[in-house]
Amino acid sequence: MRAFSYERAASPAAAAKAVAERPGARFIAGGTNLLDLMKLGIETPTHLVDVNRIGLDAIAPTSDGGLRIGALVRNADLAADPRIRRDYGVLARALLAGASGQLRNRATTAGNLLQRTRCPYFYETAMPCNKRRPGSGCAALEGFSRSNAVLGASDACIATHPSDMAVAMRALDARVETVSPDGSSRTVPIADLHRLPGDEPAQETVLQQGELITAVALPPPIQGLHLYRKVRERASYAFATVSLAAVLVRGRDGQVETGRFAFGGLAHKPWRVEAAEREVARGPAAVSDLVLAGARTTSHNAFKPTLARRLLAAAMAEAAKE
Amino acid sequence: MIGRAVSRVDGPLKVTGGARYAYERQDFGRAAVGFILGASVAKGRIVRLDTAAAERAPGVLHVMTHWNAPAQGPRDGSLPDQFGRPWPVLQGERVSWFGQPVALVVAETFEQARSAAALIDAAYETEAGAFDLASHAHLAYAPRTAAVGLATDSVLGDLDAAMASADVTIDQNYTTPAHFAQPMEPQSCLAHWVGDDLHVRPSAQGVAGARMALARTIRIPRERVHVDTAFVGGGFGSKLRVHEEAVFAALAARVIARAVKVAQTRRQVFTITGRRPETIQRVRLAASRDGRLTGVGHDVNMQGTSREEFVEQTATVLRSLYAAPNRLTRHRVTDLDVGLGEAVRGPGELPGLLAVESAMDELAHELGLDPIELRILNEPERDPERNVPFSERRLVECMREGAARFGWSARAARPGSRREGDELIGIGMAAAIRMHFQGATRAAVHMGRDGRVVVRSDMTDIGTGTYTILAQVAADALGVPLARVTVELARSDLPPSPGSGGSWGASNSSNAVHRACESLKEKVFGSSNASGFGRADLTSVVSRRFPDGVEGEGSIVGMADDPNYRNFSQHTYGASFAEVAVNTVTGEVRLRRMLGVFAAGRIINSKTTRSQLLGGMIWGVSSALHEAAHVDPRYGNVVNGDLAEYVVPVHADIPAALEAVLLDGIDDKANPLGMKGVGELGVCGTGAAVANAVFNATGVRVRDFPITMDKLLAALPPAF
Ligand SMILES: Cc1cc2nc3c(=O)[nH]c(=O)nc-3n(C[C@H](O)[C@H](O)[C@H](O)COP(=O)(O)OP(=O)(O)OC[C@H]3O[C@@H](n4cnc5c(N)ncnc54)[C@H](O)[C@@H]3O)c2cc1C
Ligand code: SF4
C-alpha cells in the first residue's frame, strides 16, 4: 500500500468535485474491494474521498412505481428490504449469493457495481496485465483462465466482471444515476455502464473521473418467476463460475412465454442478449445459441458455454413446472 | 479422567484474546516490523536491487539485501534433523523460485515497511525454468529414501507377472495437485537480543527444531537461543521448521539492536512456506475373479526441488494395507523450479490413499463385488511386507461398524441409478491406514506441598489440545483434580520433545508425563509399595514429608530404540463413508453426510480427538472436491495464491451430518498408555470415500483431483 491522503466528503457534489480535482483521487465507500487492492499494490490512489457520510443511503419509491436505491445502501440492507424481497426476488437472491454476511454489511450498491475483476493475473503485480498496467500484455490469454470470459472479450483482456448484484440488475433493466463534478447529473442504463475490454481494458465503465454514482433506479416490478442460479466452486463464499439471473413468465400453454436472461461469469459485464429472448418460443437451445453466439473459449474455460446452456434450459424447465 | 470429553483448559484464553500469538506478543517493548519482499520471477538472477528510495522512506530503520546481509550458516541438506537445518536468507543474486525473499525492510510500523518495500527497484535476468510435473515427468529420479527414512522402493514377488496372468486388473494413473497447509496464523516470529543471547517467539510446531535451525543459521551456540512458542494458531506440518520470517527477525533485531517481528503475508504463505508436492500416481491391482488380490503396485512420481529433497511417503500406504503375494511400491522425484516440498497434514497418506482407495473401488466395480467385501477378502494376517504381527489391527471392525451406522446396505450397486429431482445421489467408502510414530520425549512433573501439580515439557500445543490432555494424564496418574494441574509447554528451558507433527505429539508427551508421574509416586512411596497407597494419600504424604515438593521425570525412547517397533507393525486405522449429491444441471458436487470410524488405541480426550478427526475429514473432502494450487507453467508462480481463489470448504460445504466414531481400545504394544496418534488419521482415505461416492452417483470416474464440475459436466445426462 502506498501512502495516500484522505478526506471525508460532506455532499455528493463536494465528493465529485474533490475527486475531479486530483488525478490520483478515488471514492471510497465500503472499502471491501478498494482497500484489498491497495494493500496488494494493485490500486495506488494518492487521495481517497470517503463518501460514507453523504447520505444516499435510502431506498425510496420512484414516481413510475419503481424503487430508487441510494448508492450507499449496503448490500445486506438491500437484500433484506421487504419491497426488494417481494417485488425483485432475483435481486435479493443475487445479493445473498454474494460474498459473506460481514462483507455484505459493509459493501455498498455503487461499490458493488464498480468492483474490479478477480482475474488471478490482475491480482499478481509481477504478471503482465493490460488492465493493471496498460500495454504490459495479458497473462490470462495463454494462462490459467478458468474464471475468465468467453464472450465480448478481446486479445487485450479476457477478464470477467465478478458482481452478482449487477447481473440481477441487468435482468431488471436498472438505470444508474450519477452526478458529475460540474453539478450535472445523468442516467446510464445498466447495459451501458460497463464497457467491453476492447483495446483499453483499464477503462471499465463509461463514468468520467469524479463522476459519482448517486443511485440505481429499478423499474416497476416485473411479474414472473424470479430466479438467480449461481454456480461456483464451493457452496458459499466464492465468485460465480457462471450465474444466471432470470425472470420468466409462463403462457397459457404452460410453456415460457417471455424470459429475461442475464449471465454472470461470462464477460466483462453482465451478459444479456435481448434479441435472443424474443426467441423463447423456439426453446432453450435456440435462445442459448443466440446468447452465446461468438463465444471464444480457452482450454480452461471451455465448459462455461455448456454450463450456461444447461442453466438456461433448467430455468425454463423450472418455470414451465411452476 | 482418561478418555473424558474435557474442554480445552486454554479455551477461555483463546476466545478472550488472552492467548497471545507470536506476532501479538509484546515481551520486549514495542518491536520494529519487518516486511519481506519476494522475487517477481521464478528463476534467474537479480541484476538490479536499488533500495535508495526505500531507505529514505518514512519510518524505515534498515533494508537488508544480499549485499549487506550478515554471514550465515550454509544450507546443508545432509544434516539428518531436517527441521534443525540452517536456513540462510539472501544468499546472493540467484533466484530459484517465485517469491523467494530478496529483501527485508524494517520500519517503525508494518504499513511503513510494506510501502517502503514497494519502493525497492528490482530487476531480474530470467531463465527458462521447469514448473509443471506432467511435462517433466521423464526426468524423475529415485531418491535415497522417502520421508522419515522410509524405503524408497519395496518389491515382493513379481508384479508384472501377476498383472499378466490375473483375471481382472486395474492399471490407472491418478494425479493430485500441490497443496498448502495454510494455518490461520501465518508463519511469524518476534526476535530480540540480550547481549549474545537470542530470544525468539516463533510460531513453531517444535521448539528443538526452531532452536537448532536458528543457532546454525545465525552461527551461535544452541544454548544461546531461547525459544517460547506458547500458542500456535495451527501448523499442519508447515511449522515443523521455521522459515525466512524467523531468520529475518533474528538477523534484523541484531542489526538494529531492537526487537523485530516479521510475519509472512497470506500470499507469502503460498510462496515462502513449502507445499505438498504435486503427484502422478500409477496404481496397479491384479485380482482373481473371486476378488483375491494377487498383486498390488503403486508408483509415485512427485515434484521436488534441487535445493532440498522432500519425498512424501506416498507409496507407503499400500505396503501394509492389503494382502497380496506380488508387490511393488516406488517413490520417484522430478525436480522443478518451484517452492520446497514440506509436510502438509497427512503427508503421503492423503494423496496416496486418494489414488489407492479409488483404485480399490474401481476393482470392486470391475468384479461386481461390494467394496467392503473386497477389502475384507484381502485382509492380511501379518504385515504383508515386513512379515511381523500387527500390534493391533481393527480395519475390518471399522468398516463393519461404519457400514452398520451409515446404512451402507442401502447403497445402489449400479452407479448413476439413484436420482432425487435434479440430483444424482451416491455413497462411497474407503479404508484408512496410518503409520504410528514415536519420538524420544522427556517430561517433568512437580507436586508442591500444597498439592499443586506442574507439568513441564517443551512440547507444543498447536491448537490440538496438548495443554488439556497432559493435565488429564497427570491428574489421572496422581489422583488430583484437573484444576490443580498447570501445564507449561513450548519453551526451550523445558524438558525436550520432538514437538507436534506426524500425529505423534500426544502419545509421545502423554507417555512421558505418565512415566514422570509414576516416578514421582515412586519417590514418595518407595518403589516397592507405590501401588499399595490410595490416591488421596499422595498429596497428604507429600505435604507432610516433602517441604519443597517432589519432582518426577519421565521419558519415552524414539522408535528406532524401541523393540516393539521392530517386532510389530504399528498403525492406526479407519473407514470413512460419504454420501454426495451431484447436480445434473451443473455438475456441482455437494457432500450430504459423512461418517468416519477410527481405531487409534486408547483415547485420552474424546472431545479434542473428535475435533481432530472431524477437521481431518473435512480436509479429506477438500482434497477430493476443492483444493488445488495451480502453478503457471510459464512463470512458475502459484496462480491462485490467496484464500479467495485457493478453495477449501466453507461451512456451507460441510453438512451437520458429519460424525467421527472411535472404537474403544488400547494398543498395549504401542506404549505404556496404549495410545496412538489421531491428528492426521481423519484425512486418510476420506477423500477417496468422497470420490467413490461421486462415482457411485454418476458412473463417472475422475482420476485427476480435485473433482470439479467441469470434469463431470460432459458425462452428465443432457439437460432437458
Ligand atoms: C472475500 C470476498 C468475497 C466476495 N464475494 C463476492 C461475491 O461472491 N459476489 C459479489 O458480487 N461480490 C463479492 N465480493 C465483492 C464485494 O461485493 C465488493 O467488494 C463490494 O460490493 C464493493 O463495495 P464497497 O462499497 O466496499 O466498494 P469500495 O471497495 O469502497 O469501492 C469499490 C470501487 O467503487 C468505487 N466507488 C464506490 N462508491 C462509488 C460511488 N458512489 N460512485 C462512484 N464510484 C464509487 C470506488 O472508487 C472503488 O473503485 C467479495 C469480496 C470479497 C472481499
Ligand atoms: S484478462 Fe484482463 S485482467 Fe486478466 S491478465 Fe488479462 S488483461 Fe489482466
Side-chain angles (χ1 to χ4, degrees):
Chain A
M1 189 184 272
R2 313 293 168 85
F4 57 90
S5 50
Y6 168 92
E7 74 178 275
R8 188 175 279 156
S11 70
K17 204 153 158 282
V19 168
E21 275 166 4
R22 303 215 205 179
R26 298 289 292 276
F27 301 115
I28 184 162
T32 61
N33 189 223
L34 184 56
L35 276 178
D36 280 1
L37 294 170
M38 287 168 66
K39 289 177 188 168
L40 294 169
I42 296 161
E43 295 258 26
T44 52
T46 53
H47 185 68
L48 288 185
V49 176
D50 184 338
V51 296
N52 282 288
R53 308 251 176 112
I54 60 171
L56 306 179
D57 53 2
I59 305 172
T62 58
S63 52
D64 67 354
L67 282 179
R68 175 170 285 109
I69 305 160
L72 272 298
V73 171
R74 309 287 156 174
N75 288 176
D77 295 333
L78 185 57
D81 186 276
R83 293 161 294 182
I84 297 289
R85 289 166 56 113
R86 187 185 64 224
D87 297 331
Y88 304 93
V90 62
L91 178 57
R93 290 191 186 109
L95 283 159
L96 292 177
S100 67
Q102 293 96 321
L103 284 158
R104 293 194 296 268
N105 284 340
R106 193 74 204 139
T108 63
T109 307
N112 190 318
L113 283 177
L114 299 183
Q115 64 175 298
R116 307 201 65 191
T117 186
R118 293 279 160 169
C119 172
Y121 298 97
F122 177 71
Y123 269 80
E124 176 51 73
T125 49
M127 296 292 139
C129 169
N130 287 324
K131 189 185 274 299
R132 182 169 29 74
R133 210 169 350 113
S136 62
C138 170
L141 272 177
E142 304 280 318
F144 182 77
S145 49
R146 188 179 171 82
S147 69
N148 291 72
V150 297
L151 285 162
S154 69
D155 288 339
C157 178
I158 56 170
T160 55
H161 191 264
S163 168
D164 291 297
M165 182 194 81
V167 179
M169 286 181 169
R170 178 69 179 90
L172 294 170
D173 283 322
R175 283 164 293 124
V176 179
E177 302 178 353
T178 71
V179 57
S180 288
D182 65 5
S184 66
S185 55
R186 64 166 171 160
T187 299
V188 182
I190 186 147
D192 301 336
L193 177 70
H194 298 102
R195 295 175 70 258
L196 289 178
D199 295 336
E200 283 186 304
Q203 207 58 49
E204 290 168 355
T205 68
V206 298
L207 301 182
Q208 306 297 310
Q209 170 76 0
E211 188 171 356
L212 177 84
I213 295 180
T214 51
V216 174
L218 298 180
I222 301 164
Q223 299 308 317
L225 175 68
H226 283 222
L227 289 177
Y228 189 73
R229 183 73 175 91
K230 178 173 178 179
V231 183
R232 43 186 148 171
E233 307 282 357
R234 60 181 164 197
S236 177
Y237 206 48
F239 290 92
T241 304
V242 175
S243 67
L244 170 63
V247 181
L248 301 149
V249 178
R250 200 166 57 154
R252 289 242 164 89
D253 61 354
Q255 293 306 303
V256 174
E257 197 172 74
T258 66
R260 296 164 173 245
F261 304 98
F263 285 93
L266 297 182
H268 204 244
K269 60 197 285 188
W271 196 257
R272 180 172 169 204
V273 179
E274 276 87 345
E277 294 167 3
R278 291 192 280 273
E279 306 294 329
V280 283
R282 289 173 51 212
V287 180
S288 296
D289 285 346
L290 289 170
V291 170
L292 297 165
R296 243 175 61 187
T297 62
T298 68
S299 61
H300 291 94
N301 64 20
F303 67 101
K304 279 191 173 184
T306 312
L307 202 48
R309 279 178 186 280
R310 297 177 78 107
L311 282 180
L312 192 146
M316 285 181 66
E318 185 169 341
K321 230 173 24 201
E322 282 288 299
Chain B
M1 185 54 66
I2 297 279
R4 270 181 37 199
V6 176
S7 293
R8 280 154 210 279
V9 295
D10 52 337
L13 281 180
K14 290 258 170 88
V15 298
T16 56
R20 292 261 174 108
Y21 296 88
Y23 203 73
E24 307 170 306
R25 292 181 67 151
Q26 297 180 344
D27 303 20
F28 315 113
R30 210 172 65 78
V33 183
F35 188 87
I36 299 170
L37 178 70
S40 58
V41 301
K43 191 174 185 186
R45 215 165 55 76
I46 302 169
V47 292
R48 187 173 69 241
L49 199 57
D50 183 349
T51 59
E55 275 158 38
R56 283 194 309 269
V60 170
L61 301 166
H62 183 63
V63 179
M64 194 185 290
T65 66
H66 64 285
W67 307 114
N68 65 351
Q72 298 154 66
R75 268 179 197 280
D76 184 354
S78 70
L79 288 168
D81 58 330
Q82 191 197 346
F83 312 128
R85 288 177 192 157
W87 199 259
V89 298
L90 307 176
Q91 294 298 291
E93 57 189 30
R94 278 228 61 84
V95 174
S96 308
W97 84 97
F98 188 94
Q100 173 189 324
V102 295
L104 178 80
V105 178
V106 185
E108 292 290 347
T109 69
F110 171 78
E111 286 75 13
Q112 288 171 333
R114 181 174 59 185
S115 90
L119 298 176
I120 294 178
D121 178 14
Y124 305 87
E125 193 179 273
T126 50
E127 294 164 22
F131 304 121
D132 74 299
L133 181 58
S135 51
H136 298 88
H138 59 283
L139 299 175
Y141 72 94
R144 257 184 315 112
T145 70
V148 215
L150 293 162
T152 304
D153 294 359
S154 73
V155 189
L156 255 124
D158 185 344
L159 178 65
D160 287 332
M163 290 292 286
S165 63
D167 296 341
V168 179
T169 59
I170 298 291
D171 183 353
Q172 290 292 354
N173 275 345
Y174 302 83
T175 54
T176 62
H179 290 155
F180 285 89
Q182 295 297 330
M184 283 305 290
E185 181 205 15
Q187 281 63 14
S188 39
C189 185
L190 167 66
H192 184 54
W193 289 81
V194 180
D196 289 333
D197 283 48
L198 171 62
H199 294 259
V200 283
R201 307 288 182 257
S203 179
Q205 289 178 235
V207 166
R211 191 181 204 194
M212 189 51 114
L214 285 169
R216 283 176 172 154
T217 309
I218 314 290
R219 299 211 262 204
I220 56 174
R222 189 172 151 276
E223 294 66 38
R224 294 224 172 267
V225 182
H226 309 279
V227 178
D228 177 351
T229 179
F231 295 104
V232 178
F236 313 113
S238 72
K239 294 173 182 170
L240 285 169
R241 63 170 16 145
V242 292
H243 295 85
E244 279 80 349
E245 74 290 339
V247 176
F248 272 132
L251 292 175
R254 190 177 232 180
V255 172
I256 69 164
R258 181 176 153 188
V260 172
K261 63 180 182 178
V262 182
Q264 294 184 23
T265 65
R266 185 55 68 184
R267 286 180 86 78
Q268 286 171 343
V269 184
F270 282 96
T271 60
I272 299 174
T273 300
R275 64 191 65 190
R276 182 202 301 285
E278 186 186 352
T279 72
I280 301 172
Q281 305 179 47
R282 180 184 185 195
V283 181
R284 282 177 285 175
L285 301 173
S288 60
R289 226 336 111 207
D290 65 358
R292 272 179 218 282
L293 287 167
T294 53
V296 295
H298 193 189
D299 282 287
V300 180
N301 186 358
M302 73 185 75
Q303 146 240 305
T305 71
S306 61
R307 304 190 299 288
E308 189 183 76
E309 192 168 81
F310 173 75
V311 189
E312 266 202 324
Q313 61 268 37
T314 310
T316 63
V317 294
L318 200 43
R319 289 183 184 168
S320 186
L321 192 48
Y322 301 116
N326 302 292
R327 321 177 65 92
L328 175 65
T329 71
R330 292 188 289 217
H331 297 88
R332 296 294 179 266
V333 176
T334 303
D335 282 348
L336 302 178
D337 300 298
V338 296
L340 290 183
E342 282 186 356
V344 176
R345 202 175 190 183
E349 292 92 10
L350 182 142
L353 287 167
L354 263 179
V356 164
E357 285 296 287
S358 291
M360 281 298 280
D361 201 63
E362 299 205 40
L363 180 62
H365 182 70
E366 280 296 315
L367 291 166
L369 265 181
D370 180 274
I372 294 179
E373 285 314 310
L374 173 66
R375 287 168 173 86
I376 292 175
L377 267 175
N378 292 288
E379 177 70 5
E381 269 164 31
R382 291 164 73 81
D383 187 290
E385 302 206 359
R386 292 180 54 209
N387 195 25
V388 293
F390 295 111
S391 62
E392 176 202 41
R393 182 171 165 118
R394 305 177 71 187
L395 176 57
V396 172
E397 233 179 303
C398 289
M399 292 192 288
R400 291 218 162 108
E401 176 74 22
R405 286 177 183 253
F406 196 70
W408 178 252
S409 56
R411 170 178 174 269
R414 193 165 61 82
S417 58
R418 186 169 155 210
R419 191 174 174 134
E420 291 177 14
D422 277 349
E423 293 180 327
L424 288 167
I425 313 298
I427 65 180
M429 63 81 55
I433 183 167
R434 187 167 195 287
M435 265 177 244
H436 171 61
F437 300 123
Q438 182 172 305
T441 302
R442 290 147 75 113
V445 175
H446 181 90
M447 180 179 269
R449 234 184 117 177
D450 56 0
R452 293 197 170 275
V453 175
V454 180
V455 175
R456 288 180 295 127
S457 164
D458 83 355
M459 169 64 188
T460 54
D461 186 332
I462 60 173
T464 50
T466 315
Y467 284 109
T468 311
I469 62 162
L470 295 187
Q472 283 177 268
V473 169
D476 184 76
L478 302 177
V480 299
L482 197 64
R484 289 265 188 89
V485 183
T486 306
V487 179
E488 289 183 21
L489 295 180
R491 290 199 320 261
S492 48
D493 61 334
L494 300 175
S497 79
S500 304
S503 301
W504 67 1
S507 56
N508 286 342
S509 54
S510 294
N511 279 289
V513 168
H514 176 76
R515 285 197 167 144
C517 293
E518 295 301 313
S519 113
L520 185 153
K521 285 192 285 189
E522 220 168 270
K523 281 188 186 168
V524 175
F525 298 129
S527 54
S528 55
N529 60 351
S531 53
F533 282 80
R535 298 184 143 187
D537 296 332
L538 180 66
T539 41
S540 61
V541 176
V542 171
S543 81
R544 272 185 283 118
R545 303 224 321 257
F546 294 85
D548 300 328
V550 58
E551 173 132 336
E553 285 177 9
S555 66
I556 181 164
V557 297
M559 52 195 165
D561 302 317
D562 188 333
N564 273 2
Y565 270 85
R566 282 192 297 282
N567 301 336
F568 297 95
S569 168
Q570 299 194 16
H571 292 87
T572 50
Y573 299 93
S576 43
F577 296 80
E579 178 175 301
V580 300
V582 179
N583 187 300
T584 54
V585 176
T586 63
E588 289 164 293
V589 182
R590 301 287 184 248
L591 184 71
R592 297 226 298 195
R593 57 196 184 99
M594 187 169 220
L595 168 72
V597 178
F598 302 97
R602 172 138 53 165
I603 299 307
I604 302 295
N605 182 326
S606 56
K607 189 174 191 175
T608 52
T609 299
R610 180 171 171 272
S611 296
Q612 284 299 305
L613 291 169
L614 292 182
M617 289 165 68
I618 293 167
W619 203 304
V621 175
S622 185
S623 70
L625 301 179
H626 301 106
E627 209 168 337
H630 300 288
V631 176
D632 192 304
R634 304 162 300 168
Y635 302 108
N637 64 313
V638 173
V639 180
N640 56 334
D642 61 46
L643 292 182
E645 304 298 323
Y646 182 82
V647 181
V648 298
V650 293
H651 285 291
D653 291 290
I654 302 301
L658 172 77
E659 199 41 85
V661 172
L662 280 145
L663 297 184
D664 247 354
I666 182 159
D667 185 341
D668 59 0
K669 311 292 187 309
N671 47 51
L673 288 171
M675 61 186 290
K676 293 185 286 195
V678 294
E680 288 158 297
L681 184 56
V683 308
C684 298
T686 23
V690 174
N692 296 340
V694 171
F695 176 76
N696 184 244
T698 61
V700 183
R701 178 65 66 179
V702 178
R703 302 184 184 90
D704 175 29
F705 292 99
I707 304 171
T708 47
M709 57 183 115
D710 47 312
K711 298 171 191 170
L712 294 171
L713 206 52
L716 288 176
F720 315 100

